[in-house]
Amino acid sequence: MICYDMVRRSAPVWSCGSCFSIFHLPCIRKWARSPASVSEASDPASSWRCPGCQSVHDTPARDIAYTCFCGRRRDPPNDLFLTPHSCGEPCSKPLGKTDPAAKGASPDDDAVTRCPHVCVLQCHPGPCPPCKAFAPERPCPCGKQSITRRCADRSTPVTCGQQCDRLLPCGRHRCEKVCHTGPCGDCQVNFSAQCFCGKKTDILVCGEMAVKGSLSEKDGVFSCSAVCGHNLSCGNHACKDVCHPGPCGGCELVPGKVTTCHCGKTRLQEKRSSCLDPIPTCDKVCDKKLPCGVHSCKVTCHEGKCPPCLVRVEQRCRCGSSGQMVQCYMVSMEEFRCNKPCGRKKNCGRHRCNEACCPLSKPFAQHEGDNMDPHFCQIPCGKKLRCGQHGCQHLCHSGHCDPCRETIFSELSCACGRTSIPPPQPCGTPTPSCPHQCIVPQPCGHPASHQCHFGDCPPCVVPVMRECTGGHVMLRNIPCGSKDIRCNQPCGKNRQCGLHACARTCHPPPCDSPPANGDASSSSGSKVSCGQLCGVPRRECKHTCSTPCHPSSPCPDVRCEVRVSITCSCGRIISNVPCSAGGSYNGDSMFDISTIQQLPMPLQPVESNGKRVPLGQRKLCCDEECAKMERKRVLAEAFDITPPNLDALHFGENSNASELLSDLFRREPKWVLAIEERCKFLVLGKTKGSSSSNIKVHVFCLMTKDKRDAIRLIADRWKLTVQAVGWEPKRFVTIHVTPKSKVPARVLGSKAGVPVSASYPYFDPMVDMDPRLVVAMLDLPREADVSSLVLRFGGECELVWLNDKNALAVFSDPARAATALRRLDNGSAYQGAAMFCPSSITQASSSGNVWVGAQRDGGSAAKTNANPWKKAGASEPNPSGDWTVLGQSPGTSVLGQAPGSAWRRADTPGQVMGTNRWTALETPAATSSGSTDRCKLPPHSEAGSSSASVPRADAGASAAQIAARAVPKLQPDFEVEDWEESCE
């Protein structure tokens, strides 16, 4: 870019010597270095073009200096009494300059026409004025008079007005023009002349004749191209040459010149006396070289010219790809060309030569001679240059086109006009980038949030609340300019049949395409099929009708082909057969017979009451293995043995899912039962202070894909909604309860026939997400805006929308989660389906931080107190199984408690004192005995687990005292001095 500001008198400038345009010195240096200023006519390394007049300058960019206008003083002073950038001295530039167009003029003519004076004005910008002095007298062009004029007009031609009268180049006539400058030209007088042989007379222009000077009437001046016919010096023969100037030559048949026969092989024996005597021939072959230059004449010695060469040779075409056999003399008479196109690329590398029989189609062929190169592409390039306005004027070429040489002399401005670039600028300079906001009013009424631009405005991005296209929900934080807003809910609108609802995801209307013109069903007013499956329950088997929608006709009575599972009486043997209910019965069909033959066991007999029992409603016969399993079951019930119920994992018809859970249950049974316990608590458990509007949700920790798939399969059994959030390897799963959630037919870890109850599971870091990392946003009002969370913590948390009113924010840093909980208006503490172990929470209360996770070492709590014999009061069992805080009302928020408070869970003493939390694998008898006998340690506790659950006393304490300490009682929250007294 050049010249962003006006030229001031104190700024260093540069002035062009051709157009006298003035530019800033730094700007012209920058222009001289830019590729757009390079000139093709000179050295591109040092030459550049003036941006005003395109004249070429050879001064390198680094040598461009700030001088006065006359060029004699460098860095002229800034004198207010002088012209800006002037030195104040006389200009002294020569006024008479040689005309660049008169390169052929002689030095004498240049000295005569050039002004010898210099400019006497003060150093000034722009061109010097013409010289006002008088020049010496000069003769007119014809030389008849002398004329006096001013020095500036010396080069202007001035004539005397008389006839020129100078001798013309023909040498015979004089110029009849008025006195003029320059040559007089050729003579245009018509002249009657004859040819050299005198046979033809014609009217010629005098200046076009080759003969100059005076001529007589008998002199010839042109050739008539006929045979001369004048007698030679012998007087017997005539001249056979074409009409020519000068005398004719001598006779070639005189005896002195002919000494041999016609072929030249035999000398003459007899002397000839005259040129008319015949020349004898010999009997030898002529053997003269024929015009082809390759073969010789094979005719016997003869007079005159040799006959043409009749030898058959191969004549090759120009490209050398084909040839033909012709007589030798025809090779030079006409050129043979084939019809094969060349196909090779021209010098541009883009177009191919389509000339037939091209001489450059041969490999390694090069152009020779002065003829035009056939592979020189003559198609204009015409490509758009980088400026986008002009096309390339060169012929088609390879590589990039040269930059545009044009210059813009108009101001470049932005769309609003507040930012501009003054001229001149190279063609293709982009419009300036405007930092101001767009001033075009938005159709929505919101202020523009984008910068000044050309063309249409982008859609508005202000977050607003909009209804989805299908009219299901109002979505928040939707950009104002969004047109097609869709939710993930099904459409649910009635189809044209009047029976089915649209199953497509939210979409713009209509749900059905309009009927075609002339549709009989639409014209008669009857309902039209929507194309979906009918889905009406059948009367025989309660399966749904699988035919396409038929609103105007009843369901067809056909056999049901749905595959169902039939079992034996004990349920061990399972086989898949078609339902086969419905349809006309005319005895068992061949298909039913073949299906019965493929069953693993025969079917049990049915009562023959005249009605057909479908295959899907019959049972298989049991075998010996079924009897063995029944005996084992009776023994297990008798001895109260509850083995891992692997059959409970076969909860559906998807065998792959059952195999996945069965394999994981064999490898990690505790983990699978932990997931089942959390699903059970979400569906059956209740939290204190919860309302019907609150949603029950649980967040699992970061897991691998196979475990996430297992959680999804287990949650599907409980009809829970599962969401996978995040990116690998930090991907986790959330589950929450819906109105459709219910207890499955078989619960893992529960004995058949025993009522299913839910208790609060303990927190496990291998299963559950740390609650310090989760912020809940439940029952959000319709006007709530979570944009502050997205803008401030968007890159630090994962936002999980459970529905349109409930959401979770899962952080990776507990400090940032606590900050978000304080800043958010609708944020609350997260309560999942797991609680902390009481011993670990007691440690958290001692440390003064309610968010401290569960710890295994129970003795650390006692070490933090000032008195090692002080302890907190035992927790009171809470039958509801929820999370509460010691010394706090159930309705108080966890985050609002004072430092030193802790979590408390109400449960059986056996669970509080360190019982293995995987008690679902133990027998009920063992569990009940452990919870009833309060004076004993838990049955499955070891030394490490006991020390983690029971606070340590002095080293001399007896075993009875330690056992007494492990028995909790219902006591108020106060401190005592004697540890043993507090446990009595």
Side-chain angles (χ1 to χ4, degrees):
M1 297 181 184
I2 305 174
C3 297
Y4 296 97
D5 197 1
M6 64 181 298
V7 178
R8 304 183 183 275
R9 63 180 304 131
S10 60
V13 297
W14 175 85
S15 177
C16 178
S18 298
C19 63
F20 304 101
S21 299
I22 299 176
F23 302 95
H24 286 111
L25 184 64
C27 298
I28 201 66
R29 286 178 177 174
K30 185 177 180 181
W31 168 263
R33 296 189 191 98
S34 64
S37 65
V38 177
S39 175
E40 295 181 350
S42 57
D43 184 13
S46 60
S47 63
W48 49 278
R49 298 177 294 107
C50 172
C53 63
Q54 306 297 317
S55 60
V56 180
H57 297 267
D58 296 332
T59 305
R62 62 178 179 273
D63 296 338
I64 301 175
Y66 172 40
T67 60
C68 64
F69 295 111
C70 64
R72 288 183 297 180
R73 186 166 183 177
R74 190 165 183 172
D75 298 330
N78 184 14
D79 194 345
L80 298 178
F81 295 97
L82 296 178
T83 304
H85 315 292
S86 174
C87 64
E89 301 295 333
C91 178
S92 300
K93 290 183 181 178
L95 297 177
K97 295 184 179 180
T98 305
D99 187 6
K103 295 184 179 179
S106 62
D108 297 337
D109 296 340
D110 186 21
V112 172
T113 58
R114 184 171 57 184
C115 176
H117 306 99
V118 295
C119 181
V120 295
L121 299 180
Q122 193 182 48
C123 180
H124 61 88
C128 296
C131 183
K132 302 298 183 180
F134 285 96
E137 293 184 354
R138 290 187 57 191
C140 66
C142 67
K144 294 180 181 179
Q145 292 183 5
S146 294
I147 303 174
T148 302
R149 49 192 166 175
R150 290 188 181 276
C151 187
D153 300 333
R154 297 178 65 181
S155 59
T156 305
V158 179
T159 62
C160 61
Q162 302 180 13
Q163 187 176 352
C164 179
D165 204 22
R166 285 186 291 183
L167 187 65
L168 296 176
C170 66
R172 293 183 287 270
H173 304 91
R174 290 187 175 274
C175 180
E176 297 178 356
K177 299 178 182 178
V178 180
C179 180
H180 61 88
T181 58
C184 296
D186 296 334
C187 181
Q188 300 297 327
V189 177
N190 293 330
F191 185 79
S192 179
Q194 61 179 0
C195 64
F196 297 113
C197 63
K199 296 180 180 180
K200 186 177 181 181
T201 302
D202 199 355
I203 303 299
L204 300 179
V205 179
C206 180
E208 295 179 357
M209 295 189 301
V211 180
K212 307 297 181 182
S214 60
L215 293 174
S216 61
E217 295 181 358
K218 297 181 180 180
D219 293 338
V221 294
F222 68 94
S223 174
C224 64
S225 301
V227 179
C228 179
H230 291 175
N231 290 331
L232 298 178
S233 57
C234 64
N236 297 324
H237 300 90
C239 179
K240 297 181 179 180
D241 295 336
V242 179
C243 179
H244 58 87
C248 299
C251 182
E252 298 293 335
L253 298 179
V254 295
K257 293 184 178 181
V258 179
T259 59
T260 61
C261 64
H262 294 284
C263 66
K265 294 181 179 180
T266 306
R267 298 185 65 84
L268 298 180
Q269 300 297 330
E270 298 179 359
K271 293 183 178 182
R272 299 170 60 242
S273 59
S274 173
C275 62
L276 298 176
D277 294 341
I279 299 174
T281 59
C282 65
D283 56 354
K284 298 179 180 179
V285 178
C286 177
D287 208 17
K288 290 181 180 179
K289 282 291 184 181
L290 296 177
C292 64
V294 178
H295 307 98
S296 57
C297 181
K298 302 301 181 182
V299 183
T300 307
C301 182
H302 57 87
E303 295 184 13
K305 297 181 179 180
C306 296
C309 182
L310 302 178
V311 179
R312 296 187 64 81
V313 295
E314 183 181 11
Q315 184 182 14
R316 304 295 298 180
C317 63
R318 290 196 309 171
C319 65
S321 61
S322 59
Q324 64 178 358
M325 300 299 295
V326 296
Q327 294 178 345
C328 185
Y329 77 94
M330 296 182 64
V331 174
S332 58
M333 292 180 62
E334 59 182 6
E335 186 180 20
F336 170 57
R337 297 188 182 185
C338 65
N339 297 325
K340 180 181 178 181
C342 175
R344 296 185 66 181
K345 287 187 177 181
K346 296 186 178 182
N347 64 329
C348 63
R350 296 175 55 197
H351 303 98
R352 294 186 179 273
C353 177
N354 55 2
E355 183 179 357
C357 195
C358 178
L360 297 182
S361 62
K362 295 182 291 185
F364 308 105
Q366 296 182 357
H367 176 66
E368 297 179 357
D370 298 334
N371 297 331
M372 185 184 66
D373 186 2
H375 283 184
F376 180 77
C377 188
Q378 297 181 353
I379 302 175
C381 178
K383 290 182 180 178
K384 282 288 185 182
L385 299 179
R386 296 180 183 177
C387 64
Q389 300 179 2
H390 305 95
C392 182
Q393 301 296 330
H394 299 289
L395 294 178
C396 187
H397 57 86
S398 59
H400 298 289
C401 296
D402 295 338
C404 184
R405 305 293 182 183
E406 301 294 332
T407 304
I408 301 175
F409 289 94
S410 59
E411 188 178 53
L412 298 177
S413 60
C414 63
C416 65
R418 287 180 285 182
T419 306
S420 62
I421 304 176
Q425 297 293 331
C427 184
T429 303
T431 56
S433 177
C434 181
H436 304 90
Q437 284 190 348
C438 180
I439 61 176
V440 179
Q442 303 294 318
C444 60
H446 292 126
S449 60
H450 52 274
Q451 292 182 348
C452 176
H453 63 92
F454 289 94
D456 298 334
C457 292
C460 181
V461 296
V462 176
V464 295
M465 181 178 292
R466 289 287 178 84
E467 188 179 17
C468 66
T469 305
H472 304 108
V473 294
M474 295 292 293
L475 301 177
R476 295 185 295 269
N477 300 323
I478 300 298
C480 179
S482 299
K483 300 298 182 183
D484 190 6
I485 305 172
R486 305 189 183 189
C487 62
N488 293 328
Q489 299 182 12
C491 177
K493 297 179 181 178
N494 290 335
R495 301 289 296 273
Q496 59 186 358
C497 62
L499 301 176
H500 298 102
C502 181
R504 294 165 54 190
T505 311
C506 180
H507 64 90
C511 297
D512 297 288
S513 57
N517 295 332
D519 193 349
S521 59
S522 61
S523 61
S524 61
S526 59
K527 296 182 179 180
V528 183
S529 173
C530 65
Q532 296 182 197
L533 295 180
C534 177
V536 176
R538 298 167 60 94
R539 292 176 299 175
E540 300 84 0
C541 59
K542 302 307 179 183
H543 290 130
T544 57
C545 179
S546 59
T547 58
C549 177
H550 44 85
S552 302
S553 60
C555 294
D557 187 13
V558 295
R559 288 168 55 90
C560 181
E561 300 297 336
V562 178
R563 304 289 294 186
V564 296
S565 297
I566 61 175
T567 62
C568 60
S569 299
C570 65
R572 190 187 68 84
I573 304 175
I574 303 175
S575 180
N576 292 331
V577 296
C579 178
S580 71
S584 60
Y585 176 66
N586 296 323
D588 292 339
S589 62
M590 295 299 296
F591 181 75
D592 292 343
I593 296 175
S594 61
T595 304
I596 294 174
Q597 292 177 354
Q598 296 176 3
L599 295 176
M601 294 296 293
L603 296 173
Q604 294 181 6
V606 296
E607 298 179 1
S608 59
N609 53 359
K611 295 183 179 180
R612 182 176 72 93
V613 179
L615 289 178
Q617 301 178 10
R618 301 184 65 177
K619 286 186 174 293
L620 298 173
C621 296
C622 294
D623 57 358
E624 296 180 357
E625 189 66 24
C626 294
K628 294 180 181 180
M629 296 295 295
E630 181 64 20
R631 289 194 296 272
K632 290 181 179 180
R633 185 186 65 81
V634 173
L635 292 175
E637 291 181 356
F639 290 98
D640 199 7
I641 299 174
T642 306
N645 188 9
L646 297 181
D647 293 338
L649 296 174
H650 299 278
F651 52 87
E653 298 181 359
N654 191 350
S655 60
N656 296 330
S658 301
E659 293 177 1
L660 174 63
L661 280 180
S662 299
D663 181 67
L664 188 61
F665 190 76
R666 293 187 184 95
R667 292 186 285 108
E668 301 184 46
K670 294 183 179 181
W671 186 88
V672 175
L673 291 177
I675 303 299
E676 185 80 0
E677 287 293 326
R678 281 145 181 82
C679 295
K680 184 198 305 182
F681 183 80
L682 287 181
V683 176
L684 301 177
K686 293 183 179 180
T687 57
K688 180 175 293 186
S690 62
S691 61
S692 59
S693 60
N694 289 341
I695 187 170
K696 291 188 287 185
V697 62
H698 186 75
V699 183
F700 292 96
C701 64
L702 307 180
M703 296 182 181
T704 57
K705 185 178 183 303
D706 55 345
K707 289 192 175 182
R708 294 198 304 269
D709 295 341
I711 293 177
R712 185 180 298 274
L713 294 176
I714 296 174
D716 288 343
R717 302 174 62 247
W718 294 84
K719 304 299 181 182
L720 299 174
T721 300
V722 185
Q723 294 186 27
V725 188
W727 301 93
E728 297 291 354
K730 296 182 178 181
R731 194 167 175 84
F732 58 92
V733 175
T734 65
I735 59 175
H736 66 273
V737 181
T738 62
K740 297 182 179 180
S741 301
K742 62 179 182 178
V743 181
R746 285 168 287 186
V747 180
L748 301 181
S750 298
K751 188 175 181 181
V754 178
V756 180
S757 61
S759 60
Y760 227 135
Y762 286 151
F763 172 80
D764 188 352
M766 301 302 294
V767 178
D768 308 307
M769 179 70 73
D770 192 345
R772 298 176 299 170
L773 304 178
V774 185
V775 176
M777 293 176 287
L778 306 178
D779 291 337
L780 293 174
R782 297 181 65 88
E783 63 275 5
D785 188 7
V786 295
S787 57
S788 59
L789 174 67
V790 176
L791 294 178
R792 181 163 183 174
F793 305 99
E796 306 177 34
C797 68
E798 293 288 347
L799 187 61
V800 186
W801 283 98
L802 306 179
N803 50 35
D804 57 343
K805 293 184 179 180
N806 300 275
L808 297 177
V810 182
F811 290 80
S812 58
D813 185 6
R816 298 299 291 168
T819 302
L821 188 60
R822 292 194 304 269
R823 297 296 177 89
L824 293 178
D825 297 336
N826 301 293
S828 60
Y830 158 73
Q831 294 184 0
M835 66 168 290
F836 281 104
C837 181
S839 60
S840 302
I841 298 172
T842 303
Q843 299 168 11
S845 63
S846 301
S847 62
N849 187 357
V850 301
W851 293 106
V852 176
Q855 300 180 3
R856 297 301 181 184
D857 190 3
S860 61
K863 294 179 182 179
T864 58
N865 296 328
N867 189 349
W869 297 104
K870 294 182 179 181
K871 66 175 284 292
S875 60
E876 181 181 356
N878 187 355
S880 61
D882 59 347
W883 290 11
T884 57
V885 180
L886 293 176
Q888 182 182 355
S889 61
T892 306
S893 175
V894 177
L895 295 179
Q897 62 186 351
S901 62
W903 299 100
R904 183 179 67 179
R905 179 185 182 274
D907 210 334
T908 60
Q911 293 174 337
V912 173
M913 299 307 296
T915 306
N916 190 352
R917 60 178 176 271
W918 308 112
T919 53
L921 298 178
E922 305 299 335
T923 60
T927 305
S928 60
S929 62
S931 60
T932 304
D933 190 2
R934 298 187 178 184
C935 297
K936 296 182 181 180
L937 292 175
H940 294 285
S941 299
E942 297 179 0
S945 60
S946 298
S947 62
S949 302
V950 181
R952 295 184 180 179
D954 55 326
S958 63
Q961 294 173 342
I962 296 175
R965 298 190 197 107
V967 180
K969 285 188 176 182
L970 301 179
Q971 294 181 356
D973 297 341
F974 60 91
E975 295 182 354
V976 295
E977 297 296 334
D978 191 358
W979 176 267
E980 295 181 354
E981 181 182 353
S982 64
C983 295
E984 291 179 358

